[in-house]
Coordinates of all heavy atoms in Angstrom, one line a residue:
A210 N -14.7 -17.0 15.5 CA -13.7 -16.9 14.3 C -12.6 -16.0 14.6 O -12.8 -15.0 15.2 CB -14.5 -16.6 13.0
V211 N -11.5 -16.3 14.1 CA -10.3 -15.4 14.1 C -10.0 -15.1 12.6 O -9.9 -15.9 11.8 CB -9.1 -16.1 14.7 CG1 -7.9 -15.2 14.7 CG2 -9.4 -16.5 16.2
I212 N -9.9 -13.8 12.4 CA -9.6 -13.2 11.1 C -8.2 -12.6 11.1 O -8.0 -11.7 11.9 CB -10.7 -12.2 10.5 CG1 -12.0 -12.9 10.6 CG2 -10.3 -11.7 9.3 CD1 -13.1 -11.8 10.3
K213 N -7.3 -13.1 10.3 CA -5.9 -12.6 10.4 C -5.7 -11.6 9.2 O -6.1 -12.0 8.0 CB -4.9 -13.7 10.4 CG -4.9 -14.6 11.6 CD -3.8 -15.6 11.6 CE -3.8 -16.5 12.9 NZ -2.7 -17.4 13.0
L214 N -5.0 -10.5 9.4 CA -4.6 -9.6 8.4 C -3.1 -9.7 8.2 O -2.4 -9.8 9.2 CB -5.1 -8.2 8.7 CG -6.6 -8.0 8.9 CD1 -6.8 -6.5 9.2 CD2 -7.3 -8.3 7.6
P215 N -2.6 -9.7 7.0 CA -1.2 -9.7 6.6 C -0.4 -8.5 6.9 O 0.1 -7.8 6.1 CB -1.2 -10.0 5.1 CG -2.4 -9.3 4.6 CD -3.5 -9.4 5.7
V216 N -0.5 -8.2 8.2 CA 0.4 -7.0 8.7 C 1.3 -7.4 9.8 O 0.8 -8.2 10.6 CB -0.5 -5.8 9.2 CG1 0.3 -4.7 9.6 CG2 -1.6 -5.4 8.1
N217 N 2.6 -7.0 9.8 CA 3.4 -7.5 10.8 C 4.2 -6.4 11.5 O 5.2 -5.9 11.2 CB 4.5 -8.4 10.2 CG 5.5 -9.0 11.1 OD1 5.1 -9.1 12.3 ND2 6.7 -9.4 10.7
I218 N 3.5 -5.8 12.5 CA 4.1 -4.8 13.5 C 3.8 -5.3 14.9 O 2.9 -6.1 15.1 CB 3.7 -3.4 13.2 CG1 2.1 -3.2 13.6 CG2 3.8 -3.0 11.8 CD1 1.7 -1.9 13.6
H219 N 4.6 -4.7 15.8 CA 4.3 -5.1 17.2 C 3.1 -4.3 17.8 O 2.9 -3.2 17.6 CB 5.6 -4.9 18.0 CG 6.7 -5.7 17.5 ND1 6.7 -7.1 17.7 CD2 7.9 -5.4 16.8 CE1 7.9 -7.6 17.1 NE2 8.6 -6.5 16.6
G220 N 2.4 -5.0 18.7 CA 1.3 -4.3 19.4 C 0.8 -5.1 20.5 O 1.2 -6.2 20.7
G221 N -0.1 -4.6 21.3 CA -0.7 -5.4 22.4 C -1.8 -6.3 21.9 O -2.1 -6.3 20.8
A222 N -2.3 -7.0 22.9 CA -3.4 -7.9 22.6 C -4.3 -8.0 23.8 O -3.9 -8.0 24.9 CB -2.8 -9.3 22.1
I223 N -5.5 -8.4 23.5 CA -6.5 -8.7 24.6 C -7.0 -10.1 24.2 O -6.9 -10.6 23.1 CB -7.6 -7.8 24.7 CG1 -8.5 -7.7 23.4 CG2 -7.1 -6.4 25.0 CD1 -9.8 -6.9 23.6
H224 N -7.6 -10.8 25.2 CA -8.2 -12.1 25.0 C -9.6 -12.1 25.3 O -10.1 -11.6 26.2 CB -7.4 -13.1 25.9 CG -5.9 -13.1 25.7 ND1 -5.4 -13.7 24.6 CD2 -4.9 -12.5 26.4 CE1 -4.0 -13.5 24.6 NE2 -3.7 -12.8 25.7
Y225 N -10.3 -12.9 24.5 CA -11.8 -12.9 24.5 C -12.3 -14.3 24.9 O -11.9 -15.2 24.3 CB -12.3 -12.4 23.2 CG -13.8 -12.4 23.1 CD1 -14.5 -11.3 23.5 CD2 -14.7 -13.4 22.5 CE1 -15.9 -11.2 23.4 CE2 -16.0 -13.4 22.4 CZ -16.6 -12.2 22.9 OH -18.0 -12.1 22.8
N226 N -13.1 -14.2 25.9 CA -13.7 -15.5 26.4 C -15.2 -15.4 26.5 O -15.7 -14.8 27.4 CB -13.1 -15.8 27.8 CG -13.6 -17.1 28.4 OD1 -14.4 -17.7 27.8 ND2 -13.1 -17.4 29.6
P227 N -15.9 -15.9 25.5 CA -17.4 -15.9 25.4 C -18.0 -16.4 26.8 O -19.1 -15.9 27.1 CB -17.8 -16.7 24.2 CG -16.5 -16.8 23.4 CD -15.3 -16.8 24.4
S228 N -17.4 -17.3 27.5 CA -18.0 -17.8 28.7 C -17.9 -16.9 29.9 O -18.3 -17.2 31.0 CB -17.5 -19.2 28.9 OG -16.1 -19.1 29.2
N229 N -16.9 -15.9 29.8 CA -16.7 -15.1 31.0 C -17.8 -14.2 31.4 O -18.4 -13.5 30.5 CB -15.4 -14.1 30.6 CG -15.0 -13.3 31.8 OD1 -15.1 -13.6 32.9 ND2 -14.7 -12.0 31.5
K230 N -18.2 -14.2 32.5 CA -19.3 -13.5 33.1 C -19.0 -12.2 33.7 O -19.8 -11.4 34.0 CB -20.1 -14.4 34.0 CG -20.6 -15.7 33.5 CD -21.4 -15.5 32.2 CE -21.9 -16.8 31.7 NZ -22.7 -16.8 30.4
N231 N -17.7 -12.0 33.8 CA -17.2 -10.6 34.4 C -16.8 -9.7 33.4 O -16.3 -10.1 32.3 CB -16.1 -11.0 35.4 CG -16.5 -11.8 36.5 OD1 -17.6 -11.7 37.1 ND2 -15.7 -12.8 36.9
G232 N -16.9 -8.4 33.7 CA -16.4 -7.4 32.7 C -17.4 -7.3 31.5 O -18.6 -7.6 31.6
C233 N -16.9 -6.9 30.4 CA -17.7 -6.4 29.3 C -17.8 -7.4 28.3 O -16.8 -7.7 27.5 CB -17.1 -5.1 28.8 SG -17.8 -4.6 27.2
N234 N -19.0 -8.1 28.1 CA -19.2 -9.0 27.0 C -18.2 -10.0 26.8 O -17.7 -10.4 25.7 CB -19.4 -8.2 25.7 CG -20.7 -7.4 25.7 OD1 -21.6 -7.7 26.5 ND2 -20.7 -6.3 24.9
G235 N -17.6 -10.5 27.9 CA -16.7 -11.7 27.8 C -15.2 -11.3 27.8 O -14.4 -12.2 27.6
F236 N -14.9 -10.0 28.0 CA -13.5 -9.6 28.1 C -13.0 -10.0 29.4 O -13.6 -10.0 30.4 CB -13.5 -8.1 27.8 CG -13.4 -7.6 26.4 CD1 -14.5 -7.0 25.9 CD2 -12.3 -7.8 25.7 CE1 -14.6 -6.6 24.7 CE2 -12.3 -7.4 24.4 CZ -13.5 -6.8 23.8
V237 N -11.7 -10.5 29.4 CA -11.1 -11.0 30.5 C -10.8 -9.8 31.5 O -10.9 -9.9 32.7 CB -9.8 -11.7 30.2 CG1 -9.0 -12.0 31.6 CG2 -10.0 -12.9 29.5
R238 N -10.5 -8.6 30.9 CA -10.2 -7.5 31.7 C -11.4 -6.6 31.9 O -12.4 -6.8 31.2 CB -9.1 -6.6 31.0 CG -7.9 -7.4 30.5 CD -6.9 -6.6 29.9 NE -5.9 -7.3 29.2 CZ -5.0 -6.9 28.3 NH1 -5.0 -5.6 28.1 NH2 -4.1 -7.6 27.7
S239 N -11.3 -5.7 32.8 CA -12.4 -4.7 33.0 C -12.5 -3.8 31.8 O -11.6 -3.6 31.0 CB -12.1 -3.9 34.3 OG -11.0 -3.0 34.0
R240 N -13.7 -3.3 31.6 CA -14.0 -2.4 30.4 C -13.1 -1.2 30.3 O -12.6 -0.9 29.3 CB -15.4 -1.9 30.5 CG -15.8 -1.0 29.4 CD -17.2 -0.5 29.4 NE -18.2 -1.7 29.2 CZ -19.3 -1.7 29.7 NH1 -19.8 -0.7 30.4 NH2 -20.1 -2.7 29.4
K241 N -12.7 -0.7 31.5 CA -11.8 0.5 31.4 C -10.4 0.2 30.9 O -9.8 0.9 30.3 CB -11.8 1.2 32.8 CG -11.0 2.6 32.7 CD -11.2 3.3 34.0 CE -10.5 4.6 33.9 NZ -10.6 5.4 35.1
S242 N -9.8 -1.0 31.3 CA -8.6 -1.4 31.0 C -8.5 -2.1 29.7 O -7.3 -2.2 29.1 CB -7.9 -2.2 32.1 OG -8.6 -3.4 32.2
L243 N -9.6 -2.7 29.1 CA -9.4 -3.6 28.0 C -9.0 -2.9 26.7 O -8.5 -3.5 25.8 CB -10.7 -4.3 27.7 CG -12.0 -3.4 27.3 CD1 -12.0 -3.2 25.8 CD2 -13.3 -4.1 27.8
V244 N -9.2 -1.5 26.6 CA -8.8 -0.8 25.4 C -7.4 -0.1 25.5 O -7.0 0.5 24.6 CB -9.8 0.2 25.1 CG1 -11.1 -0.5 24.7 CG2 -10.0 1.2 26.2
K245 N -6.8 -0.2 26.7 CA -5.5 0.4 26.8 C -4.4 -0.3 25.9 O -4.2 -1.4 25.8 CB -5.0 0.4 28.2 CG -3.8 1.3 28.5 CD -3.5 1.4 30.0 CE -2.5 2.4 30.3 NZ -2.2 2.6 31.7
M246 N -3.7 0.6 25.1 CA -2.7 0.1 24.1 C -1.4 -0.2 24.8 O -1.1 0.3 25.9 CB -2.5 1.2 23.1 CG -3.7 1.4 22.2 SD -3.3 2.4 20.8 CE -2.9 3.9 21.5
C247 N -0.6 -1.0 24.2 CA 0.5 -1.5 24.7 C 1.5 -0.3 24.9 O 1.7 0.5 24.0 CB 1.2 -2.5 23.7 SG 2.8 -3.2 24.3
S248 N 2.2 -0.3 26.1 CA 3.2 0.8 26.4 C 4.2 0.2 27.2 O 4.1 -0.8 27.9 CB 2.4 1.9 27.0 OG 1.9 1.7 28.2
T249 N 5.3 0.9 27.4 CA 6.4 0.6 28.3 C 6.0 1.0 29.7 O 5.2 1.9 29.9 CB 7.7 1.3 27.9 OG1 7.4 2.7 27.9 CG2 8.1 0.9 26.6
P250 N 6.5 0.3 30.7 CA 6.2 0.6 32.1 C 6.3 2.1 32.4 O 7.3 2.7 32.1 CB 7.1 -0.2 32.9 CG 7.5 -1.3 32.0 CD 7.5 -0.8 30.7
G251 N 5.2 2.7 33.1 CA 5.2 4.1 33.5 C 5.0 5.0 32.3 O 4.8 6.3 32.6
Q252 N 4.9 4.6 31.1 CA 4.5 5.5 30.0 C 3.1 5.8 30.0 O 2.2 4.9 30.1 CB 5.0 5.0 28.6 CG 4.6 5.9 27.5 CD 4.9 5.2 26.2 OE1 4.9 4.0 26.0 NE2 5.1 6.1 25.1
N253 N 2.6 7.1 29.8 CA 1.3 7.5 29.7 C 0.9 7.5 28.2 O 1.4 8.5 27.5 CB 1.1 8.9 30.3 CG -0.3 9.3 30.3 OD1 -1.1 8.9 29.5 ND2 -0.8 10.1 31.3
V254 N 0.2 6.6 27.7 CA 0.0 6.5 26.3 C -0.9 7.6 25.8 O -0.7 8.1 24.7 CB -0.8 5.2 26.0 CG1 -1.2 5.1 24.6 CG2 0.0 4.0 26.3
Q255 N -1.7 8.1 26.6 CA -2.7 9.2 26.2 C -1.9 10.5 26.0 O -2.3 11.3 25.1 CB -3.8 9.4 27.2 CG -4.8 8.2 27.3 CD -5.9 8.4 28.3 OE1 -6.2 9.6 28.5 NE2 -6.3 7.4 28.9
T256 N -0.9 10.8 26.7 CA -0.2 12.0 26.7 C 1.2 11.9 26.0 O 1.7 13.0 25.7 CB 0.0 12.6 28.2 OG1 0.8 11.7 28.9 CG2 -1.3 12.9 28.8
S257 N 1.6 10.8 25.7 CA 2.9 10.6 25.0 C 2.9 11.3 23.7 O 2.0 11.0 22.9 CB 3.4 9.2 25.0 OG 4.5 9.0 24.1
V258 N 3.9 12.1 23.4 CA 3.9 12.8 22.2 C 4.1 11.9 21.0 O 3.6 12.0 19.9 CB 5.0 13.9 22.1 CG1 5.2 14.5 20.8 CG2 4.8 14.9 23.2
K259 N 4.9 10.7 21.3 CA 5.1 9.7 20.2 C 4.1 8.7 20.1 O 4.3 7.8 19.3 CB 6.6 9.2 20.6 CG 7.7 10.3 20.5 CD 9.0 9.6 20.7 CE 10.2 10.6 20.6 NZ 11.5 9.9 20.9
S260 N 3.2 8.7 20.9 CA 2.2 7.6 20.8 C 1.4 7.6 19.5 O 1.0 8.8 19.1 CB 1.2 7.6 22.0 OG 0.5 8.8 22.0
P261 N 1.1 6.5 18.8 CA 0.5 6.6 17.6 C -1.0 7.1 17.8 O -1.6 6.8 18.8 CB 0.5 5.1 17.1 CG 0.7 4.4 18.4 CD 1.5 5.2 19.3
L262 N -1.6 7.5 16.7 CA -3.0 8.0 16.8 C -3.9 6.7 16.8 O -3.9 5.8 16.0 CB -3.3 8.8 15.5 CG -4.7 9.3 15.3 CD1 -5.0 10.3 16.4 CD2 -5.0 9.8 13.9
P263 N -4.8 6.6 17.9 CA -5.7 5.5 18.0 C -6.9 5.7 17.1 O -7.5 6.7 16.9 CB -6.1 5.6 19.4 CG -6.1 6.9 19.8 CD -5.0 7.6 19.0
I264 N -7.3 4.6 16.4 CA -8.4 4.5 15.6 C -9.3 3.3 15.9 O -8.8 2.3 16.4 CB -8.0 4.5 14.1 CG1 -7.2 3.3 13.8 CG2 -7.3 5.8 13.6 CD1 -7.0 3.0 12.3
M265 N -10.6 3.4 15.5 CA -11.4 2.2 15.7 C -12.1 2.1 14.2 O -12.7 3.0 13.7 CB -12.6 2.5 16.6 CG -13.6 1.5 16.6 SD -15.2 1.9 17.6 CE -14.5 1.5 19.3
V266 N -11.8 0.9 13.5 CA -12.3 0.8 12.3 C -13.5 -0.2 12.3 O -13.4 -1.4 12.4 CB -11.2 0.1 11.3 CG1 -11.7 -0.1 9.9 CG2 -10.0 0.9 11.4
N267 N -14.6 0.4 12.2 CA -16.0 -0.3 12.3 C -16.3 -1.0 11.0 O -16.2 -0.2 10.0 CB -17.1 0.5 12.8 CG -16.9 0.9 14.3 OD1 -16.3 0.2 15.1 ND2 -17.4 2.0 14.7
G268 N -16.5 -2.2 10.9 CA -16.8 -2.9 9.7 C -15.5 -3.5 9.2 O -15.4 -3.8 8.0
C269 N -14.4 -3.8 10.0 CA -13.2 -4.2 9.6 C -13.2 -5.8 9.2 O -12.2 -6.3 8.8 CB -12.1 -4.0 10.6 SG -12.3 -5.0 12.1
T270 N -14.4 -6.4 9.4 CA -14.5 -7.8 8.9 C -14.8 -7.8 7.4 O -14.7 -8.9 6.8 CB -15.6 -8.5 9.7 OG1 -16.8 -7.8 9.7 CG2 -15.2 -8.7 11.1
G271 N -15.2 -6.7 6.8 CA -15.5 -6.5 5.5 C -14.2 -6.3 4.6 O -13.1 -5.9 5.2

Side-chain angles (χ1 to χ4, degrees):
V211 176
I212 303 171
K213 294 185 178 182
L214 296 182
V216 180
N217 184 23
I218 67 172
H219 298 291
I223 63 172
H224 301 286
Y225 184 78
N226 180 0
S228 64
N229 179 40
K230 302 302 180 184
N231 299 316
C233 172
N234 292 337
F236 278 104
V237 174
R238 307 177 196 172
S239 67
R240 177 178 293 152
K241 187 169 183 179
S242 65
L243 65 88
V244 295
K245 189 168 185 178
M246 294 191 295
C247 180
S248 62
T249 56
Q252 181 185 20
N253 186 333
V254 175
Q255 295 181 27
T256 59
S257 172
V258 174
K259 295 182 179 180
S260 64
L262 179 68
I264 61 169
M265 173 189 281
V266 181
N267 291 333
C269 71
T270 55

